[in-house]
Amino acid sequence: MRIPDLALHRPGSLDEAFEATAAHPDHDLLGGGTDLLCNYKWRLNVRPHVISLRHLPELQGEAAGPLAAGRTLHELEHCPVLAQLCPELSRAAAQIATPLIRRTATLGGNLHLDTRCWHFNQTAEWRLAHDSCLKAEADQCRVQPVPGDVCVATYSGDLAPVLMAYGAEAVLVGPDGERRVPLSEYYALDGIRRFAERKPGELMLRLDLPQDAGDWTVRYQKLRLRETFDFPEGGVAVGVRWADQPGGEIAEARVASTAYDSVPRVHPDLAERLVGRQIQEDVAEELGASLREEVRPMKNTSMSPAYRKKMARVLAKRALLACLPSS
Amino acid sequence: MSFSRRILRLHVNGQPREVLARDADTLLDVLREEVELTGTKRGCDLGTCGCCTVQIDGEPVLSCLTLAAEVEGKQITTVEGLRDGERFAPLQEAWAEAGASQCGFCTPGFLLAADRLLRDNASPSRDEIREALAGNLCRCTGYVKIIDAVERCAAEHRTFCAERGRPSTVSEQV
Amino acid sequence: MTRYQSTVGSRFPLIDSMEKTSGQGIYIEDMKFPGMLYARLVRSTETYAQVEEVDFSAAQEVEGYVDSLAPGEPGTGNTFGVLPISEDETPLPAPNALYSGAIVAAVACESEVGAREAALRVQMRTKKLPAVLRPKDALKETDQPIHSNTIGGTNLHKAVDQEFGDVDGAFEQADVVTGGEYVFDGINHGFTEPIGCIAVPEPNGRMSLYSATQVPHYLHRALAKVLEMPMHRIRVYKPLVGGGFGGKSDPFPHEMVAALLARKTGRPVKLIFDRDEVFLNNHGRHPTEYKIRVAADREGRLLGLDAHSRIDGGAWGSFGVVTTYYNGVLSQGPYRLPSFRYSGRRVYTNKPASGAMRGHGAVNARYALETALDEMAEKLQVDPFDLRAQNALPANTTTLNHLRITSTGFLECLERVRERSGWNEKFRKMPYGRGIGLGCGFYISGSALPIHRTRTPQSTVHIKIDVDGGVTIHSLAADIGQGSDTMLAQCVAEAMGVRIDRCRVLAKDTDTAPIDLGSYSSRVTFMAGNAALRAGEAIFRKLQRACARLTGKSAEGFVKGADETYLHLDDPGVVVPYMDALREALADNGALIAKGAYIAPKLGGAFKGSGAGLSPSYSYQAFVAEVEVDPETGFTRVDKIWAAHDCGKALNRLAVEGQLEGSVHMGMGQALTEQMVYLNNGQLRNASFLDYKIPSPVDTPEIEAIVVESNDPEGPLGAKECGEGALAPIIPAIGNAIYDAVGVRLHEVPMTPERVLKALEQKRKAEEKARAHS
C-alpha cells in the first residue's frame, strides 16, 4: 500500500513543534505511528501535514523521565524505575500488540490511540461500498440499530486504565506553558472528538503519578483472542491502597475500564463500594456484576457485545482478586 | 495530480545510500523500490505479520510502519546485512538446517527479530523465543522448526555478532 | 565395496533454503521489468450488480496514468476456470459483478502510487441485482441466477447423491446411533505472500506471465483460452511462491487482467494484491453445514454412515464440484463401512468464491465424523482408540465406493500416538477444565483422475546432463514452500546414485518444463516423484551402458556405489566414477537426456461420480490434543499436540515433520480462532491479519510429529502424501478434548471462547431443568 502524499515535519524542540502545529492547523501528530500509518494506508482521515514527535528531547531520552510521552512501550516494559514505581504498567505494556510494534509505539501514542470500529477500520474501497461511518466519510453512524450522530467507535488502549488506577495526571504543554489534568478527566465520550481537555497546539509531555503511587497495588486484566497482535476486547484495571496490611482492609480503590466505550473510563461508584472491605470471592463477584452493568460495548469489534459484557464481570473479579498478595 | 519526492540519506547495511522518496513513503517502500533490497518482504503492510521486520540501530522494527524520512541518519539492517561477506550468520545456517523455512516468505522478518534476541541471550528457553517472535506470523511451519533453529544456534550466533561488532545494545535503562 | 548411501529417511534442508534465509530468493513482488507499468484493480462496491458503465475520466488526471481495462473490451468476457466442467469466471464482469469486492476494471500507471490514486477515482454506473447471501436462499428459484449453469432455476451449482449398501437397514438394526448438525465458517489460506503477477508482452508477439501460482499448467491453459492465443505463444513462469495451501491453485481473473492490459499497452504490467484483496479473492474453505448419523451395533462394529452437506461456493465454481464430492467420499476411511449415503449441495452466493484449501473437502466432514465417533465410544463405553482400531480399514481392500486401499499405517498411528500422549493415564481422568481428545483421518495421495480428459501423463520429468556433470531436472510441479523441488532432486539423485547437490531443479517455466498438473490434491510427491525416479533410472541405465563400454563388464551388473561411483557386482575391483561414466556416455552423443512419466492406474467403479476420491494411495492419521478450558471465559488453550501420520516413507524426515507441524498449526487456527465474517450486505468484515486470527508463536503449542511408514508399494521409494491429510484430524481432536475437559460438544467451528461459553451455559441450563423435573 502507499500512503497518500503528505508533508512530514520533524521539529527538534518544543518551540519548533508549537510553530509547526500553529503553521499547519490541519495536521496529525506522529508518535510511533504504528496506528496512525495503518489508518493512513487505508486513507482514513489523512491530513496534509504530519508533525513527528520523535525528535523532541522533552518527550524521550534519559532526561525526559520514566513516563515521558515519547517513551516506547518496549522501554516501559523494561524500565527498572517503573518496575518499582508502577509495575503493573510495565506488565500491561508488555501485553500490547506485538514485541515489534512495542519497539516503536509510544506511551503518548497509546493514550491517544484512535478509536476503532469495524465500519471504520476498513480499506478505502470497502468504505465506498458501505458508506456507514460517521468518523470517516458518512454523515451518520450505523453501529446501533438507529443511526446516530455520535461516534461510538471503541477506544482500545491498554495503558490508560492502568494509569488511571494509579491516579496518574497528564502533563500537557503548549505555547503558554504546562498544565496538569487528571487522566481520568482527559477523555470525552465521543469517538471522534475523543479528548475533553486538549487545546489546539497542546502536546502531552508526560504522565505524573501521585506521591503515594507506590502504596497502590494495581492489577490489569484484558480480553483478547490471541495472546499477541490483538487489541483488547475488554480491559479492566483495579487499584487498591491497603488500610494497613496488604490483603487486609481496603482504604481506597480505583476501577477503570477500556475497550468498552469510546474512552477509557473510571468507575468511581464501584471503587467507593470497595472501601473498608477485604478482598473476598464474594466482594470480587459483586464488583464484577456491577461493572458488567456499567459497560455498554457496541457491536463494532470482533467479539460480540454480549460476550464482552459478560467478560467485564470476569475481568473485574480477576483483577481485584489478583490484588491479593498471595496471588 | 502529481507526486513530489526529495532526497533521503539512509545507512543500509553499513553503506550510505541516497534515494528519492516521498515523505509518505515507508521504509519498506523505499528499501524495496529505491534501495532495491527485496529481501525485506511485504506480507500485510499493516504491522500484523512481521515479514517486513528490519533493525534500526540494532532494534527490530516494522519497516511497513516506519516512515523512511524518520530514520535518516540511523543504521538500518536488513536480511541482506546479516551475513558477513561470503559467510552466512549462524542463524541463517541454522534456519536452513532446522527446516525453519518452508515457503521462506516470513523468514527475513523472523531472522531480524531472532537476531536481536540472540544478541542479548545466548541460551533462550523455547518460551522466551516464542515471546521474542510473537510479532511474526508463519503459515507453513507451526513455528516448531523456527524455535528449533533459534535454540540450536544461540551461542554461536551471539559470538558471530559480537565478532562483527554487533553486540547487544541495552537501551532500556533510564 | 561400499554401496551408495541412500538419503531416504534422513534429515536435510530444502535445496532452496539458503535462497530464502539470505533474502536473495526472488518472489513475484521482487521482480521488475524495464518500462513496467503498475496496475490497480477497481472493485465492486455493490453486492450484486450489472456494470453498465465505467468512467475513467477523473483517473486520467493522475500523473503517470497510462491506460485502463473495462468490461466489454476484447477478452474480458472470455470464460475460464480450473475445472472444465464449470468454467464460469471471466476476467471482468460480463456484465455482472458478483460480489462486493469483485474485480470490475483496472488502471495501469507509471507508478504504484499513481495507480492507487487513479483506481480510487474510477466511477462506475451499475444496476443493482437481488443478492443471494445465505445458502438456504440460494436453493430457491430465481429469475437472476448468478450463473447460467445452475440446476432447476436456482443457484444450486452441484448436487451429489450417493448410496452404497443398505443404509436404512443399517440404521434400523443399529444398537447405537450418534451424530448431529454442524456449522463451519469459511476459512482463508492465509499464506504470507500476497497474490500477484507480472505480464510481459514479448517483442515476438508472445505473452509471458510471471505469477505466484501453484498450477502453472492450468494457468497456461486458461490464458490461452482468455487471450485466444495458442498455448505455445504463451509462457507461464513461477518464481518462488510464498505459500499456497490451495489459495493459488486456480487461474485467477487478475492474471487475465494483467495479461490483457499488457497486450493493450504493449508494456509489462505488474499487479500485486494488498492483503485485503487476498481475502476478497479467497477460494478458501467452503462455509459448510453438515449433518451426520453414524450407526453401530453393541459390539462397536460400524454399520452405516449417513451424511449431508450444504456448502457455500460463493461467486464461482472453482474446484467446487470436487469439493461437493469430497465432503462425502473422503469419509469412507479410515474405517470399514458396510453402508454409506451422502448427499451434497453446493450453491452459488454473492460472496468471494470458495475453492480448494489444504485438506480440500475432507476437513469439515472429518470433524463431524470424528465427533460422532467420540460420542459413539462414550455410548458404547469403549475407549475411542479401541473403537477406531476395531473398525480400521485393512490393507489391500476396496471401500464401498471402490476406493482401492493398498498400504495403511493407521493402526500404527493409533498405537504410537496413544503411547506418546499418555492417553491411558489422562482420558476421562483429568480434573475439570483439562481434557484430551482423539481425531483421526485419511487423505488422498494425489487425485487419480486428471481434471482434463486426456491421455497425457499427470507428471512428466525431464533430465539433462552435460559435460559439467550437473543434473538439470525440468518439471512443472510447483514448489510453493512444501519442498517439491527438493523431493525431485532427491528422487533423481537416488535413482542415479549421485549427491543431491549435483541436481538443480528448474520447475517454474512452461517453456522448458514438461507438463505436470501442479501442486494440489497432495499429488506431487507421489506422481512427480515417480516420474523423477523413472527419469533418473533411465539416465542410470545410460550410465550403466557407458560403464560397460569402459570396462568390458556387463551393463546390468553395475550398481550404485559410495561417493558417486558405479561398482560391478561380479568384480569388486571395478569402480567407475560418475564423471568417467558420464564422459563416456556423452562421447559421440552429446548431452544425456531422459524423461520419466507417471499416469495413475485405472481405478474406480462404473457409477456417476466414481472418479471422486480415487487415488493411487491414501495417507492415515491419528492425532491427540491436550487442552485446558477456562469454564468462566470459554477460552481453550491447547497445551500439546501429538500427530501421527502415515506418509508411506519419509523421503526427508525434516520436510515431512515440517508438513505435519504446519498442517496441525493451520488446523488449530480453524479449530479455535479463524473465521471469515460477513456483514448482512455480503461485505467481508475481517479482511486483514489483525481481524482474521491466525495463531501466533505464543498461541501455538509444542507439536510432536510422529512419522509412521507403511512403505507404499506404488509410491516413489514408498512415499505417500504428508501435506494435507494432517490438517483435518486436529480439529475434532481439539473438539473431543474440550468435551473431555468440560463436557460440551461444539456444533460450530471455530470453537471460539464465545461459542464454548454458550455451550457451557446451555448445558448448565439443561441440567438445571432436568434437576427441576426430577
Side-chain angles (χ1 to χ4, degrees), chain C residues 173-193:
Chain C
Q173 55 165 273
D175 297 308
V176 187
V177 173
T178 58
E181 296 183 20
Y182 301 92
V183 178
F184 302 85
D185 288 319
I187 298 294
N188 184 267
H189 317 85
F191 38 74
T192 48
E193 181 208 25

PDB file of all heavy atoms in Angstrom, chain C residues 173-193:
ATOM      1  N   GLN C 173     -31.306 -51.626  12.288  1.00  0.00           N
ATOM      2  CA  GLN C 173     -30.784 -52.684  13.169  1.00  0.00           C
ATOM      3  C   GLN C 173     -29.695 -52.182  14.125  1.00  0.00           C
ATOM      4  O   GLN C 173     -29.163 -52.954  14.920  1.00  0.00           O
ATOM      5  CB  GLN C 173     -30.293 -53.875  12.347  1.00  0.00           C
ATOM      6  CG  GLN C 173     -29.268 -53.490  11.290  1.00  0.00           C
ATOM      7  CD  GLN C 173     -28.524 -54.693  10.743  1.00  0.00           C
ATOM      8  OE1 GLN C 173     -27.529 -55.109  11.304  1.00  0.00           O
ATOM      9  NE2 GLN C 173     -29.035 -55.246   9.654  1.00  0.00           N
ATOM     10  N   ALA C 174     -29.382 -50.889  14.051  1.00  0.00           N
ATOM     11  CA  ALA C 174     -28.300 -50.375  14.889  1.00  0.00           C
ATOM     12  C   ALA C 174     -28.679 -50.396  16.370  1.00  0.00           C
ATOM     13  O   ALA C 174     -29.838 -50.172  16.725  1.00  0.00           O
ATOM     14  CB  ALA C 174     -27.979 -48.948  14.479  1.00  0.00           C
ATOM     15  N   ASP C 175     -27.699 -50.651  17.213  1.00  0.00           N
ATOM     16  CA  ASP C 175     -27.911 -50.525  18.661  1.00  0.00           C
ATOM     17  C   ASP C 175     -27.619 -49.106  19.118  1.00  0.00           C
ATOM     18  O   ASP C 175     -28.190 -48.632  20.083  1.00  0.00           O
ATOM     19  CB  ASP C 175     -27.005 -51.517  19.402  1.00  0.00           C
ATOM     20  CG  ASP C 175     -27.355 -52.951  19.061  1.00  0.00           C
ATOM     21  OD1 ASP C 175     -28.538 -53.312  19.172  1.00  0.00           O
ATOM     22  OD2 ASP C 175     -26.450 -53.696  18.633  1.00  0.00           O
ATOM     23  N   VAL C 176     -26.703 -48.468  18.440  1.00  0.00           N
ATOM     24  CA  VAL C 176     -26.337 -47.102  18.822  1.00  0.00           C
ATOM     25  C   VAL C 176     -26.253 -46.242  17.576  1.00  0.00           C
ATOM     26  O   VAL C 176     -25.676 -46.650  16.570  1.00  0.00           O
ATOM     27  CB  VAL C 176     -24.956 -47.071  19.520  1.00  0.00           C
ATOM     28  CG1 VAL C 176     -24.672 -45.665  20.057  1.00  0.00           C
ATOM     29  CG2 VAL C 176     -24.883 -48.076  20.653  1.00  0.00           C
ATOM     30  N   VAL C 177     -26.863 -45.071  17.674  1.00  0.00           N
ATOM     31  CA  VAL C 177     -26.739 -44.096  16.587  1.00  0.00           C
ATOM     32  C   VAL C 177     -26.278 -42.779  17.204  1.00  0.00           C
ATOM     33  O   VAL C 177     -26.823 -42.336  18.218  1.00  0.00           O
ATOM     34  CB  VAL C 177     -28.080 -43.885  15.853  1.00  0.00           C
ATOM     35  CG1 VAL C 177     -27.957 -42.746  14.832  1.00  0.00           C
ATOM     36  CG2 VAL C 177     -28.525 -45.169  15.165  1.00  0.00           C
ATOM     37  N   THR C 178     -25.277 -42.169  16.608  1.00  0.00           N
ATOM     38  CA  THR C 178     -24.842 -40.843  17.070  1.00  0.00           C
ATOM     39  C   THR C 178     -24.769 -39.913  15.870  1.00  0.00           C
ATOM     40  O   THR C 178     -24.875 -40.356  14.730  1.00  0.00           O
ATOM     41  CB  THR C 178     -23.466 -40.887  17.759  1.00  0.00           C
ATOM     42  OG1 THR C 178     -22.520 -41.415  16.836  1.00  0.00           O
ATOM     43  CG2 THR C 178     -23.490 -41.727  19.013  1.00  0.00           C
ATOM     44  N   GLY C 179     -24.541 -38.654  16.158  1.00  0.00           N
ATOM     45  CA  GLY C 179     -24.413 -37.686  15.068  1.00  0.00           C
ATOM     46  C   GLY C 179     -25.007 -36.352  15.454  1.00  0.00           C
ATOM     47  O   GLY C 179     -25.385 -36.139  16.611  1.00  0.00           O
ATOM     48  N   GLY C 180     -25.073 -35.467  14.491  1.00  0.00           N
ATOM     49  CA  GLY C 180     -25.601 -34.143  14.782  1.00  0.00           C
ATOM     50  C   GLY C 180     -25.447 -33.235  13.585  1.00  0.00           C
ATOM     51  O   GLY C 180     -25.134 -33.678  12.477  1.00  0.00           O
ATOM     52  N   GLU C 181     -25.685 -31.975  13.849  1.00  0.00           N
ATOM     53  CA  GLU C 181     -25.577 -30.965  12.797  1.00  0.00           C
ATOM     54  C   GLU C 181     -24.474 -29.985  13.176  1.00  0.00           C
ATOM     55  O   GLU C 181     -24.377 -29.568  14.332  1.00  0.00           O
ATOM     56  CB  GLU C 181     -26.902 -30.219  12.635  1.00  0.00           C
ATOM     57  CG  GLU C 181     -28.013 -31.124  12.167  1.00  0.00           C
ATOM     58  CD  GLU C 181     -29.320 -30.387  11.933  1.00  0.00           C
ATOM     59  OE1 GLU C 181     -29.284 -29.151  11.773  1.00  0.00           O
ATOM     60  OE2 GLU C 181     -30.364 -31.067  11.909  1.00  0.00           O
ATOM     61  N   TYR C 182     -23.703 -29.623  12.192  1.00  0.00           N
ATOM     62  CA  TYR C 182     -22.533 -28.780  12.453  1.00  0.00           C
ATOM     63  C   TYR C 182     -22.470 -27.638  11.441  1.00  0.00           C
ATOM     64  O   TYR C 182     -22.859 -27.813  10.292  1.00  0.00           O
ATOM     65  CB  TYR C 182     -21.249 -29.606  12.368  1.00  0.00           C
ATOM     66  CG  TYR C 182     -21.250 -30.743  13.360  1.00  0.00           C
ATOM     67  CD1 TYR C 182     -21.714 -32.003  13.009  1.00  0.00           C
ATOM     68  CD2 TYR C 182     -20.837 -30.528  14.666  1.00  0.00           C
ATOM     69  CE1 TYR C 182     -21.757 -33.038  13.930  1.00  0.00           C
ATOM     70  CE2 TYR C 182     -20.859 -31.550  15.596  1.00  0.00           C
ATOM     71  CZ  TYR C 182     -21.326 -32.802  15.222  1.00  0.00           C
ATOM     72  OH  TYR C 182     -21.372 -33.800  16.146  1.00  0.00           O
ATOM     73  N   VAL C 183     -21.970 -26.531  11.891  1.00  0.00           N
ATOM     74  CA  VAL C 183     -21.795 -25.371  11.013  1.00  0.00           C
ATOM     75  C   VAL C 183     -20.325 -24.939  11.060  1.00  0.00           C
ATOM     76  O   VAL C 183     -19.746 -24.810  12.145  1.00  0.00           O
ATOM     77  CB  VAL C 183     -22.693 -24.196  11.464  1.00  0.00           C
ATOM     78  CG1 VAL C 183     -22.454 -22.976  10.576  1.00  0.00           C
ATOM     79  CG2 VAL C 183     -24.159 -24.606  11.413  1.00  0.00           C
ATOM     80  N   PHE C 184     -19.778 -24.730   9.877  1.00  0.00           N
ATOM     81  CA  PHE C 184     -18.368 -24.342   9.776  1.00  0.00           C
ATOM     82  C   PHE C 184     -18.268 -23.019   9.032  1.00  0.00           C
ATOM     83  O   PHE C 184     -18.808 -22.876   7.938  1.00  0.00           O
ATOM     84  CB  PHE C 184     -17.577 -25.404   9.001  1.00  0.00           C
ATOM     85  CG  PHE C 184     -17.659 -26.773   9.609  1.00  0.00           C
ATOM     86  CD1 PHE C 184     -18.724 -27.622   9.311  1.00  0.00           C
ATOM     87  CD2 PHE C 184     -16.687 -27.211  10.497  1.00  0.00           C
ATOM     88  CE1 PHE C 184     -18.815 -28.888   9.882  1.00  0.00           C
ATOM     89  CE2 PHE C 184     -16.771 -28.471  11.078  1.00  0.00           C
ATOM     90  CZ  PHE C 184     -17.846 -29.320  10.771  1.00  0.00           C
ATOM     91  N   ASP C 185     -17.565 -22.085   9.615  1.00  0.00           N
ATOM     92  CA  ASP C 185     -17.329 -20.822   8.924  1.00  0.00           C
ATOM     93  C   ASP C 185     -16.309 -21.019   7.800  1.00  0.00           C
ATOM     94  O   ASP C 185     -15.522 -21.968   7.829  1.00  0.00           O
ATOM     95  CB  ASP C 185     -16.788 -19.770   9.907  1.00  0.00           C
ATOM     96  CG  ASP C 185     -17.865 -19.304  10.860  1.00  0.00           C
ATOM     97  OD1 ASP C 185     -19.007 -19.107  10.416  1.00  0.00           O
ATOM     98  OD2 ASP C 185     -17.574 -19.147  12.061  1.00  0.00           O
ATOM     99  N   GLY C 186     -16.310 -20.101   6.862  1.00  0.00           N
ATOM    100  CA  GLY C 186     -15.308 -20.125   5.801  1.00  0.00           C
ATOM    101  C   GLY C 186     -13.928 -19.814   6.356  1.00  0.00           C
ATOM    102  O   GLY C 186     -13.778 -19.102   7.351  1.00  0.00           O
ATOM    103  N   ILE C 187     -12.930 -20.369   5.698  1.00  0.00           N
ATOM    104  CA  ILE C 187     -11.539 -20.234   6.158  1.00  0.00           C
ATOM    105  C   ILE C 187     -10.684 -19.791   4.978  1.00  0.00           C
ATOM    106  O   ILE C 187     -10.897 -20.238   3.862  1.00  0.00           O
ATOM    107  CB  ILE C 187     -11.021 -21.604   6.677  1.00  0.00           C
ATOM    108  CG1 ILE C 187     -11.850 -22.087   7.870  1.00  0.00           C
ATOM    109  CG2 ILE C 187      -9.551 -21.539   7.063  1.00  0.00           C
ATOM    110  CD1 ILE C 187     -11.741 -21.248   9.113  1.00  0.00           C
ATOM    111  N   ASN C 188      -9.742 -18.923   5.246  1.00  0.00           N
ATOM    112  CA  ASN C 188      -8.816 -18.465   4.211  1.00  0.00           C
ATOM    113  C   ASN C 188      -7.431 -19.084   4.418  1.00  0.00           C
ATOM    114  O   ASN C 188      -7.039 -19.341   5.542  1.00  0.00           O
ATOM    115  CB  ASN C 188      -8.725 -16.929   4.239  1.00  0.00           C
ATOM    116  CG  ASN C 188      -7.856 -16.382   3.129  1.00  0.00           C
ATOM    117  OD1 ASN C 188      -6.671 -16.166   3.296  1.00  0.00           O
ATOM    118  ND2 ASN C 188      -8.447 -16.169   1.970  1.00  0.00           N
ATOM    119  N   HIS C 189      -6.726 -19.276   3.302  1.00  0.00           N
ATOM    120  CA  HIS C 189      -5.418 -19.953   3.361  1.00  0.00           C
ATOM    121  C   HIS C 189      -4.406 -19.188   4.200  1.00  0.00           C
ATOM    122  O   HIS C 189      -3.584 -19.786   4.869  1.00  0.00           O
ATOM    123  CB  HIS C 189      -4.871 -20.124   1.952  1.00  0.00           C
ATOM    124  CG  HIS C 189      -5.908 -20.563   0.968  1.00  0.00           C
ATOM    125  ND1 HIS C 189      -6.739 -19.675   0.337  1.00  0.00           N
ATOM    126  CD2 HIS C 189      -6.267 -21.784   0.536  1.00  0.00           C
ATOM    127  CE1 HIS C 189      -7.575 -20.337  -0.457  1.00  0.00           C
ATOM    128  NE2 HIS C 189      -7.307 -21.620  -0.353  1.00  0.00           N
ATOM    129  N   GLY C 190      -4.465 -17.873   4.111  1.00  0.00           N
ATOM    130  CA  GLY C 190      -3.587 -17.066   4.960  1.00  0.00           C
ATOM    131  C   GLY C 190      -2.102 -17.208   4.664  1.00  0.00           C
ATOM    132  O   GLY C 190      -1.271 -16.964   5.536  1.00  0.00           O
ATOM    133  N   PHE C 191      -1.745 -17.586   3.430  1.00  0.00           N
ATOM    134  CA  PHE C 191      -0.317 -17.602   3.083  1.00  0.00           C
ATOM    135  C   PHE C 191       0.245 -16.200   3.281  1.00  0.00           C
ATOM    136  O   PHE C 191      -0.465 -15.207   3.123  1.00  0.00           O
ATOM    137  CB  PHE C 191      -0.109 -18.084   1.640  1.00  0.00           C
ATOM    138  CG  PHE C 191      -1.145 -17.590   0.678  1.00  0.00           C
ATOM    139  CD1 PHE C 191      -1.141 -16.281   0.250  1.00  0.00           C
ATOM    140  CD2 PHE C 191      -2.152 -18.427   0.228  1.00  0.00           C
ATOM    141  CE1 PHE C 191      -2.102 -15.817  -0.627  1.00  0.00           C
ATOM    142  CE2 PHE C 191      -3.119 -17.969  -0.651  1.00  0.00           C
ATOM    143  CZ  PHE C 191      -3.104 -16.649  -1.075  1.00  0.00           C
ATOM    144  N   THR C 192       1.538 -16.128   3.613  1.00  0.00           N
ATOM    145  CA  THR C 192       2.081 -14.810   3.959  1.00  0.00           C
ATOM    146  C   THR C 192       2.359 -13.951   2.729  1.00  0.00           C
ATOM    147  O   THR C 192       2.331 -12.731   2.821  1.00  0.00           O
ATOM    148  CB  THR C 192       3.373 -14.943   4.796  1.00  0.00           C
ATOM    149  OG1 THR C 192       4.228 -15.883   4.159  1.00  0.00           O
ATOM    150  CG2 THR C 192       3.059 -15.375   6.199  1.00  0.00           C
ATOM    151  N   GLU C 193       2.646 -14.568   1.581  1.00  0.00           N
ATOM    152  CA  GLU C 193       2.925 -13.769   0.384  1.00  0.00           C
ATOM    153  C   GLU C 193       1.627 -13.439  -0.343  1.00  0.00           C
ATOM    154  O   GLU C 193       0.931 -14.331  -0.813  1.00  0.00           O
ATOM    155  CB  GLU C 193       3.825 -14.545  -0.586  1.00  0.00           C
ATOM    156  CG  GLU C 193       4.150 -13.743  -1.840  1.00  0.00           C
ATOM    157  CD  GLU C 193       4.417 -14.622  -3.066  1.00  0.00           C
ATOM    158  OE1 GLU C 193       3.921 -15.750  -3.123  1.00  0.00           O
ATOM    159  OE2 GLU C 193       5.120 -14.151  -3.961  1.00  0.00           O
TER     160      GLU C 193
END
